[in-house]
Amino acid sequence: MEALPALPLKHSIPKAKMFLVFLSMVLCTALLCLLQIKFSKPKRKDFYSFEVKDLKGRIVSLERYRGKASLVVNVASKCQHTERSYKELQELHREFGPSHFTVLAFPCNQFGESEPGSNQQIAAFAGNYAATFPIFSKIKILGTEGEPAFRFLTESTKKEPKWNFWKYLVNPEGQVVKFWKPEEPIESIKSEVVALIRAIIVKKREDL
C-alpha cells in the first residue's frame, strides 16, 4: 500500500516566529533595564558637587573651589566666639589663600539665635573684620531643612555642630579630612591646613 504523503506543518512556522519575537522582546527589555541601571546610578557626591547661594541670593557652584583646601565654618555675628573667630579666619585666609586655600563661611541662626540679621546686615558686620573670604547666604544646618552642602559635612564626619564656628577641613577632592569645635586653638587648625597645602603643591609639581 502506497504511503500517504506527510502533511505540511501549518502551525510550526508561525509558532517559531512567535517564539523568536518573544525572545527578542525579553532580551531587549533586559538590555534596556541594564542600561537604565548603569546610567541612573547616582554619582558619588562630594562637597564641591553642591550649589549654594551667596549673600545676594545668587546661585554659586562650589565646583569653583575644587582643587583647593577649604575650611568650612558656620559663623554668627552675636556669639562669644565671634570676635576671636572672625579675626582668626581672616588671618588664615590672608596667609594661605586664595590659590591653594580658602575659608568658606555659612551664617546660621540655629545656635542661640546668634545670627538674627539679614544677609545684607551679615555682609556689613563682616566688613568690621575686613573679611575677604566668601560668606554665603544664611542657612539652616539642623533638621530637615538643613543645607545639603553642609549636611554632607556632618554626615561624612558623623559630627553635627552643637554651636557656632565648627570648622571642617575639606581636601581638593571635596572630602572632609578633619573637623574642630569652636574652642579648639587656631594653631592646631593651621598645622593641618599647612600640611594639606603642601600636599597640593607637591601633587601639582608631580603632574607637570
Side-chain angles (χ1 to χ4, degrees), residues 51-171:
E51 291 182 338
V52 295
K53 290 182 178 180
D54 65 13
L55 285 172
K56 294 184 178 179
R58 298 172 299 196
I59 294 175
V60 177
S61 173
L62 293 175
E63 192 70 31
R64 65 171 62 181
Y65 302 106
R66 188 177 295 279
K68 298 182 181 183
S70 299
L71 188 69
V72 188
V73 191
N74 61 309
V75 300
S77 303
K78 301 179 183 296
C79 172
Q80 71 269 35
H81 302 296
T82 296
E83 186 168 357
R84 174 180 59 84
S85 295
Y86 257 94
K87 288 179 179 178
E88 290 176 346
L89 292 174
Q90 176 57 23
E91 179 187 335
L92 279 175
H93 188 76
R94 179 186 54 78
E95 185 174 355
F96 299 113
S99 298
H100 305 297
F101 170 79
T102 186
V103 171
L104 301 177
F106 289 84
C108 179
N109 193 43
Q110 289 181 298
F111 304 101
E113 297 185 350
S114 47
E115 190 69 286
S118 64
N119 283 346
Q120 187 176 3
Q121 290 171 323
I122 291 168
F125 175 82
N128 295 329
Y129 298 92
T132 57
F133 50 83
I135 303 175
F136 299 99
S137 182
K138 188 161 67 171
I139 63 167
K140 289 185 178 179
I141 293 173
L142 308 177
T144 56
E145 296 181 272
E147 175 66 43
F150 218 98
R151 195 161 63 237
F152 171 82
L153 305 177
T154 61
E155 290 175 354
S156 297
T157 58
K158 308 299 180 188
K159 295 293 181 181
E160 192 174 71
K162 293 179 171 56
W163 199 245
N164 306 298
F165 295 100
W166 277 53
K167 304 168 187 73
Y168 297 85
L169 184 61
V170 178
N171 69 15

Side-chain angles (χ1 to χ4, degrees), residues 4 6 14 16 20-22 35 43 53 64 66 70 95 113 123 129 132 136-137 162 166 176 178 186 190 193 197 207:
L4 294 171
L20 287 173
V21 170
F22 175 76
L35 289 171
K43 294 181 180 179
K53 290 182 178 180
R64 65 171 62 181
R66 188 177 295 279
S70 299
E95 185 174 355
E113 297 185 350
Y129 298 92
T132 57
F136 299 99
S137 182
K162 293 179 171 56
W166 277 53
V176 186
K178 196 89 174 179
I186 191 66
K190 187 178 289 189
V193 169
I197 290 173
D207 291 342

